Amino acid sequence: MPSSETNGSNRTLERAAAILDAVGRSAVSASELARQTGLSVSTTHRLALQMVDYGFLRRTDGGAFRLGDRFVRSALENAGLPVLRELRDQTGETAQLWVKRGDERVCLLSADSQHELRAILPIGARLPLPQGSSGRLLAADEETLTELAEVGWIESVGIRTPGLGSISAPVQTEEGIIAAVCLAMPLARVVKSPGQDYGDQVISAALTIADAVERRRQTL
């Protein structure tokens, strides 16, 4: 016969699945989740917070819940790689996708330059915020957001690593900035500045990924 521990685990999984089913395209409050699942508000709130910890849900500034980074990450990976490869082929430089994890940024995807002299970091690399153009963008301080509003991108010129530059643009959905597309290159190949040379291409790549993520979310 199933043990009480197994029965308890099954009940937890069933409740978690019910909560996921109840979370649609828009943010849902704990009380609405409780109404849809038939669970108490306290039980729903506790489970939802645990699911936030594991990335199955994310919490909005208003305290509501929606599908979390585990689902967004898959959409980012599926949409991001072909776009990064196209950006790399257009510019000849290394194109990367970075996401925020606590006080760090993590390289989720990378399409490396084919030049012998190139700027690369491996997938999974972690750097502290706000280092680099992507770090500044994902940290999203007031000065950076003002700069972003003016030109649509953030650049770094030999600040984190002497001799290297980068430009980053936000992958932005209705939830805000969820990732950053970064193009990194040796400054020896820069004509004016990273942003002035490649701003339009990087912004276009970020918008393409954001659109794909939104379409994917609508099917979940």
Side-chain angles (χ1 to χ4, degrees):
M1 295 181 61
S3 66
S4 58
E5 182 178 352
T6 300
N7 288 334
S9 297
N10 288 341
R11 282 196 298 272
T12 300
L13 287 173
E14 289 171 358
R15 290 171 174 177
I19 289 173
L20 287 176
D21 288 341
V23 176
R25 300 177 186 177
S26 58
V28 182
S29 68
S31 59
E32 176 60 18
L33 286 176
R35 187 189 68 80
Q36 292 191 42
T37 60
L39 301 172
S40 69
V41 174
S42 61
T43 297
T44 302
H45 192 256
R46 175 178 55 80
L47 285 174
L49 289 178
Q50 291 174 343
M51 293 169 74
V52 169
D53 290 339
Y54 285 95
F56 291 105
L57 296 178
R58 62 188 302 176
R59 205 172 186 196
T60 69
D61 291 340
F65 297 93
R66 60 187 313 150
L67 292 178
D69 290 342
R70 285 182 182 267
F71 300 98
V72 174
R73 188 182 311 149
S74 176
L76 279 170
E77 290 172 343
N78 291 336
L81 191 54
V83 176
L84 293 183
R85 286 172 175 166
E86 182 177 358
L87 179 60
R88 185 266 316 275
D89 293 343
Q90 287 176 349
T91 63
E93 305 298 349
T94 295
Q96 302 164 333
L97 188 68
W98 292 85
V99 293
K100 183 180 179 181
R101 293 291 181 266
D103 294 329
E104 297 178 315
R105 59 179 169 113
V106 179
C107 183
L108 188 65
L109 296 169
S110 182
D112 293 343
S113 169
Q114 301 303 306
H115 289 294
E116 185 174 354
L117 179 62
R118 56 188 175 175
I120 61 171
L121 279 170
I123 294 173
R126 292 176 174 266
L127 293 173
L129 300 177
Q131 286 188 8
S133 61
S134 290
R136 289 183 58 205
L137 195 156
L138 293 172
D141 60 39
E142 184 175 350
E143 180 181 351
T144 299
L145 293 178
T146 299
E147 184 177 338
L148 183 65
E150 292 175 353
V151 294
W153 43 260
I154 300 297
E155 70 176 358
S156 176
V157 182
I159 296 175
R160 189 181 70 82
T161 303
L164 296 181
S166 68
I167 167 182
S168 295
V171 177
Q172 193 160 0
T173 68
E174 61 184 25
E175 295 181 10
I177 297 173
I178 61 171
V181 172
C182 176
L183 193 70
M185 74 289 295
L187 292 175
R189 288 199 292 271
V190 172
V191 178
K192 295 180 179 179
S193 76
Q196 293 180 75
D197 287 2
Y198 300 113
D200 289 343
Q201 293 101 316
V202 176
I203 290 173
S204 178
L207 289 173
T208 299
I209 295 173
D211 287 344
V213 170
E214 288 286 17
R215 288 196 301 271
R216 171 59 176 161
R217 279 179 170 168
Q218 291 173 5
T219 66
L220 293 173

